[in-house]
Amino acid sequence: QVQLVESGGGSVQAGGSLRLSCAASGFTTTYCLGWFRQVPGKERERVAIIRPDGITTIADSVKGRFTISQGSAENTVDLHMNSLKAEDTAIYTCVGDSVCPRLFSEKPFGPPRYWGQGTQVIVAS
């Protein structure tokens, strides 16, 4: 059974940095991992995705400030968030799927199959 376990998050002043980590287990094939974020009442946003070959995709809204990379531990992925802004405040959720297109668009394959529990990031202005 696939599990995604997040760590990190918390509160930080604007301009600060945070790192989120996601530990994946249970996959039996190659898979993509990524981070989505959501503010209550707003649409969910794709933040960053990393493919098995290491190629990454970063949302325009965070490009130049956020990076996604393989973690130091096996089967982990880190989201490095720098120069944080108040508008980055959201619940950040790790997502994964062996069908990588699901992380890039819900059409036509649907949303990612596996989701972590989410972790809160609060950026105080």
Side-chain angles (χ1 to χ4, degrees), residues 12-72:
V12 66
Q13 292 291 320
S17 299
L18 282 174
R19 184 186 70 180
L20 306 181
S21 294
C22 176
S25 62
F27 281 104
T28 58
T29 63
T30 58
Y31 55 93
C32 287
L33 289 177
W35 291 91
F36 285 25
R37 69 183 181 184
Q38 188 164 24
V39 176
K42 293 190 176 181
E43 273 196 30
R44 188 168 59 205
E45 179 185 12
R46 289 173 187 76
V47 176
I49 298 166
I50 186 165
R51 292 171 21 176
D53 56 9
I55 293 177
T56 63
T57 300
I58 305 294
D60 288 343
S61 59
V62 301
K63 197 167 288 184
R65 300 188 297 119
F66 290 16
T67 59
I68 187 170
S69 64
Q70 302 289 349
S72 55

Side-chain angles (χ1 to χ4, degrees), residues 76-123:
T76 63
V77 164
D78 293 337
L79 181 67
H80 302 269
M81 305 184 293
N82 300 311
S83 302
L84 282 161
K85 305 176 181 179
E87 51 263 42
D88 294 319
T89 294
I91 295 174
Y92 286 71
T93 304
C94 180
V95 299
D97 206 312
S98 56
V99 179
C100 290
R102 289 195 178 111
L103 274 72
F104 292 90
S105 174
E106 295 195 9
K107 297 178 180 180
F109 299 107
R113 280 183 291 184
Y114 304 107
W115 296 71
Q117 290 188 318
T119 185
Q120 178 82 59
V121 171
I122 297 172
V123 183

